[in-house]
Amino acid sequence: MWLFWLYEILGLIGVIVVVILFCRWRKISLWAFIKRNYKWIALAIASVWLLIVILCWHHLFDATYCYFRGKSMKANTKYSIFLGECQIETPNGSYIPIEKSRAFLNDNHRDDADDFFSN
């Protein structure tokens, strides 16, 4: 998610830089230009943010899915945008792909199959 927010901030900075460069090129006051065209500037910022959301839609959906999957498992998970996979934290603190993980047993855990066959 941090990479998505980095893109959003860079898009905002990009729009601000374009407005400043346009004002310098036209030799007009920045504040006067913003006062006259604040709706267009807000529309440009919203358009850039929406474009970034559309470009990152797949990763945003996967990150949200990974978050709720971790909540349902009561485990720490994170989505790796570079690897394109949901990862779960192991007891020693490292992260492995959640699809390749198995139940992490601790010493006081009993298997459910033992309860089934003990009757």
Side-chain angles (χ1 to χ4, degrees), residues 14 45 61 87 98:
I45 291 171
F61 177 78
Q87 298 175 340
I98 200 165

PDB file of all heavy atoms in Angstrom, residues 14 45 61 87 98:
ATOM      1  N   GLY A  14       3.102  16.366  -9.095  1.00  0.00           N
ATOM      2  CA  GLY A  14       3.182  16.611 -10.534  1.00  0.00           C
ATOM      3  C   GLY A  14       2.208  17.673 -10.998  1.00  0.00           C
ATOM      4  O   GLY A  14       2.563  18.551 -11.791  1.00  0.00           O
ATOM      5  N   ILE A  45      -6.400  17.415 -10.300  1.00  0.00           N
ATOM      6  CA  ILE A  45      -5.894  16.580  -9.201  1.00  0.00           C
ATOM      7  C   ILE A  45      -6.746  15.331  -9.054  1.00  0.00           C
ATOM      8  O   ILE A  45      -6.223  14.217  -8.936  1.00  0.00           O
ATOM      9  CB  ILE A  45      -5.846  17.397  -7.888  1.00  0.00           C
ATOM     10  CG1 ILE A  45      -4.756  18.463  -7.967  1.00  0.00           C
ATOM     11  CG2 ILE A  45      -5.611  16.483  -6.689  1.00  0.00           C
ATOM     12  CD1 ILE A  45      -4.772  19.452  -6.824  1.00  0.00           C
ATOM     13  N   PHE A  61      -7.108  -4.322  -4.913  1.00  0.00           N
ATOM     14  CA  PHE A  61      -8.051  -5.392  -4.598  1.00  0.00           C
ATOM     15  C   PHE A  61      -7.332  -6.548  -3.900  1.00  0.00           C
ATOM     16  O   PHE A  61      -7.819  -7.074  -2.892  1.00  0.00           O
ATOM     17  CB  PHE A  61      -8.738  -5.890  -5.869  1.00  0.00           C
ATOM     18  CG  PHE A  61      -9.668  -7.039  -5.617  1.00  0.00           C
ATOM     19  CD1 PHE A  61     -10.927  -6.818  -5.086  1.00  0.00           C
ATOM     20  CD2 PHE A  61      -9.269  -8.334  -5.899  1.00  0.00           C
ATOM     21  CE1 PHE A  61     -11.780  -7.880  -4.843  1.00  0.00           C
ATOM     22  CE2 PHE A  61     -10.116  -9.399  -5.660  1.00  0.00           C
ATOM     23  CZ  PHE A  61     -11.372  -9.169  -5.128  1.00  0.00           C
ATOM     24  N   GLN A  87       1.255 -12.661   1.737  1.00  0.00           N
ATOM     25  CA  GLN A  87       2.223 -13.370   2.570  1.00  0.00           C
ATOM     26  C   GLN A  87       1.761 -13.366   4.011  1.00  0.00           C
ATOM     27  O   GLN A  87       1.167 -12.411   4.481  1.00  0.00           O
ATOM     28  CB  GLN A  87       3.611 -12.721   2.454  1.00  0.00           C
ATOM     29  CG  GLN A  87       4.166 -12.761   1.062  1.00  0.00           C
ATOM     30  CD  GLN A  87       5.477 -12.017   0.946  1.00  0.00           C
ATOM     31  OE1 GLN A  87       5.798 -11.183   1.780  1.00  0.00           O
ATOM     32  NE2 GLN A  87       6.240 -12.312  -0.086  1.00  0.00           N
ATOM     33  N   ILE A  98       1.100 -17.159   1.394  1.00  0.00           N
ATOM     34  CA  ILE A  98       0.006 -17.748   2.158  1.00  0.00           C
ATOM     35  C   ILE A  98      -0.515 -19.020   1.496  1.00  0.00           C
ATOM     36  O   ILE A  98      -1.011 -19.913   2.168  1.00  0.00           O
ATOM     37  CB  ILE A  98      -1.119 -16.714   2.378  1.00  0.00           C
ATOM     38  CG1 ILE A  98      -2.000 -17.122   3.532  1.00  0.00           C
ATOM     39  CG2 ILE A  98      -1.922 -16.502   1.128  1.00  0.00           C
ATOM     40  CD1 ILE A  98      -2.883 -16.006   4.036  1.00  0.00           C
TER      41      ILE A  98
END
